[in-house]
């Protein structure tokens, strides 16, 4: 039996993962354009990790990273605080745009 799988994430692989400069630049740009930002990192399976950014002005956006380790490193390099969960204060700060409300109204739920 094999000792391990080459698809298993090990501590060595996690330590070698580095945040791409484009991801860090995107996070910095968002934070600079919205008076600072906070982030919540969500694991989304094989896709990786979603970094949801909430600006001080209530605007929000997202970025994708290969995994949660890379997402945390990118936020740290960009100087953005990572929240552990969706706290009420952070959710109350979010202000969806009118365009987002319109796009959500047009969507229908598929079964």
């Amino acid at each position: 039996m094999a000792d391990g799988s080459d698809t298993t994430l090990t501590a060595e692989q996690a330590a070698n993962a580095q945040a791409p400069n484009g991801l860090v630049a995107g996070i910095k740009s968002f934070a600079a354009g919205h008076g600072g930002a906070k982030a919540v990192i969500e694991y989304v399976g094989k896709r990786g990790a979603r970094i949801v950014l909430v600006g001080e002005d209530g605007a929000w956006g997202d970025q994708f990273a290969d995994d949660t380790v890379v997402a945390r490193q990118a936020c740290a390099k960009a100087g953005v605080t990572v929240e552990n969960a969706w706290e009420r204060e952070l959710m109350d700060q979010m202000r969806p745009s009118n365009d987002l409300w319109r796009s959500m109204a047009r969507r229908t739920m598929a079964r």
Side-chain angles (χ1 to χ4, degrees), residues 9 13-14 18 21-22 24 26 31-33 38 42 47 50 55 66 70 73-74 76 92 108-109:
L9 181 64
Q13 289 171 324
Q18 295 212 352
N21 289 334
V24 174
K38 293 182 181 178
E42 300 172 338
R47 170 84 193 241
R50 179 181 184 205
D66 292 337
V70 171
Q73 287 177 349
D92 286 346
T108 59
M109 300 296 284

Side-chain angles (χ1 to χ4, degrees), residues 33 41 52 59 61 81 111:
I41 297 173
V52 181
T81 303
R111 290 187 175 188

Side-chain angles (χ1 to χ4, degrees), residues 72-94:
R72 287 188 182 280
Q73 287 177 349
C75 289
K77 285 183 181 180
V80 172
T81 303
V82 176
E83 299 289 328
N84 290 326
W86 284 105
E87 299 292 334
R88 181 183 178 109
E89 293 81 17
L90 186 60
M91 292 183 72
D92 286 346
Q93 184 176 337
M94 293 177 75

Side-chain angles (χ1 to χ4, degrees), residues 18-36:
Q18 295 212 352
N21 289 334
L23 178 60
V24 174
I27 295 170
K28 281 183 179 179
S29 174
F30 181 89
H34 297 283

